[in-house]
Amino acid sequence: KAGVTQTPRYLIKTRGQQVTLSCSPISGHRSVSWYQQTPGQGLQFLFEYFSETQRNKGNFPGRFSGRQFSNSRSEMNVSTLELGDSALYLCASSLAGGPIEAFFGQGTRLTVV
Amino acid sequence: SQQGEEDPQALSIQEGENATMNCSYKTSINNLQWYRQNSGRGLVHLILIRSNEREKHSGRLRVTLDTSKKSSSLLITASRAADTASYFCATDEKDSSYKLIFGSGTRLLVRP
């Protein structure tokens, strides 16, 4: 069974640009969550999707958005990038009802210059 | 910050020794989980303990949970160099089951 796949693995963007990150969950998993990891703030929850519906959202500005498709694949978008958005973005999938035993992808390392 | 606290922040031990790391959290929870992360890569789920459980074992791992003190500990016995990683506790809150609140993590170095 393939694991959680995140693309791209590495990304360098310029301040003010926007970026879209992709996550393909484990087959059969319908819940997808996104987390931001930085040295200063640690691991912080961004949002969670289940059956194309956002069920929870973390304390991030509106520049951070996401969506989930009917095949459970998910994307997150960050607009008007700031230097502080440089981070490892992790996607996690789980079977159904939330974060029980979440399976994480390898992450997308975003660097904003 | 919503994060829980973990201590120690860093731990260095010799191969074969036991490693204990502690986690404290802030709210009522459904479950507490421990994850491992190798060098800035994805997290790997280690073990889950439910709020009505006090202790759980999995291989060389032993987890305890004290909901009255809002704390948990992870014990790794007979450590190996391959256990070198960062370890995070994560809770899901009773009133918000769709997100994990992570602790600040413990960096474990196991010297061969």
Side-chain angles (χ1 to χ4, degrees):
Chain A
K1 202 180 215 182
V4 177
T5 303
Q6 289 188 248
T7 56
R9 289 291 312 278
Y10 302 92
L11 207 48
I12 300 175
K13 289 286 189 178
T14 304
R15 266 183 306 174
Q17 288 186 313
Q18 75 163 14
V19 67
T20 299
L21 312 182
S22 180
C23 172
S24 293
I26 290 172
S27 178
H29 286 194
R30 295 169 65 189
S31 170
V32 174
S33 302
W34 289 88
Y35 293 83
Q36 181 197 65
Q37 185 177 27
T38 60
Q41 298 298 314
L43 280 151
Q44 293 193 295
F45 171 79
L46 281 157
F47 22 67
E48 190 265 355
Y49 289 89
F50 180 80
S51 291
E52 302 179 66
T53 299
Q54 185 183 88
R55 296 194 295 190
N56 208 338
K57 189 178 191 305
N59 295 325
F60 279 83
R63 300 184 297 106
F64 291 80
S65 63
R67 60 178 175 167
Q68 186 180 35
F69 302 95
S70 58
N71 62 358
S72 294
R73 190 177 71 86
S74 178
E75 288 181 348
M76 68 162 281
N77 184 277
V78 188
S79 62
T80 319
L81 283 166
E82 301 177 358
L83 295 178
D85 297 333
S86 294
L88 180 66
Y89 290 88
L90 292 162
C91 166
S93 76
S94 58
L95 266 173
I100 300 295
E101 295 193 49
F103 292 82
F104 282 79
Q106 292 298 297
T108 294
R109 172 76 62 186
L110 172 65
T111 302
V112 182
V113 297
Chain B
S1 168
Q2 295 178 305
Q3 284 186 323
E5 297 295 322
E6 288 188 55
D7 77 274
Q9 288 189 340
L11 182 60
S12 179
I13 59 174
Q14 204 71 35
E15 208 165 25
E17 294 181 336
N18 296 341
T20 299
M21 47 206 91
N22 305 293
C23 162
S24 62
Y25 56 91
K26 298 178 181 177
T27 64
S28 296
I29 63 171
N30 292 316
N31 309 281
L32 185 143
Q33 305 178 53
W34 286 88
Y35 287 84
R36 184 186 75 221
Q37 184 179 40
N38 288 87
S39 191
R41 304 185 70 182
L43 282 79
V44 174
H45 181 267
L46 295 175
I47 193 167
L48 177 150
I49 186 165
R50 300 187 187 278
S51 59
N52 61 355
E53 296 176 313
R54 291 298 166 256
E55 186 170 315
K56 201 159 184 183
H57 296 254
S58 176
R60 295 185 295 112
L61 305 180
R62 173 180 167 249
V63 170
T64 61
L65 179 64
D66 186 335
T67 53
S68 67
K69 294 181 180 178
K70 292 186 170 57
S71 67
S72 173
S73 68
L74 171 69
L75 168 69
I76 304 174
T77 60
S79 63
R80 306 165 181 167
D83 295 328
T84 294
S86 291
Y87 292 81
F88 296 89
C89 67
T91 57
D92 59 288
E93 300 171 335
K94 280 193 180 296
D95 61 352
S96 183
S97 299
Y98 305 129
K99 67 178 183 181
L100 291 174
I101 307 295
F102 282 89
S104 49
T106 293
R107 292 189 313 277
L108 173 66
L109 171 65
V110 181
R111 304 186 305 274

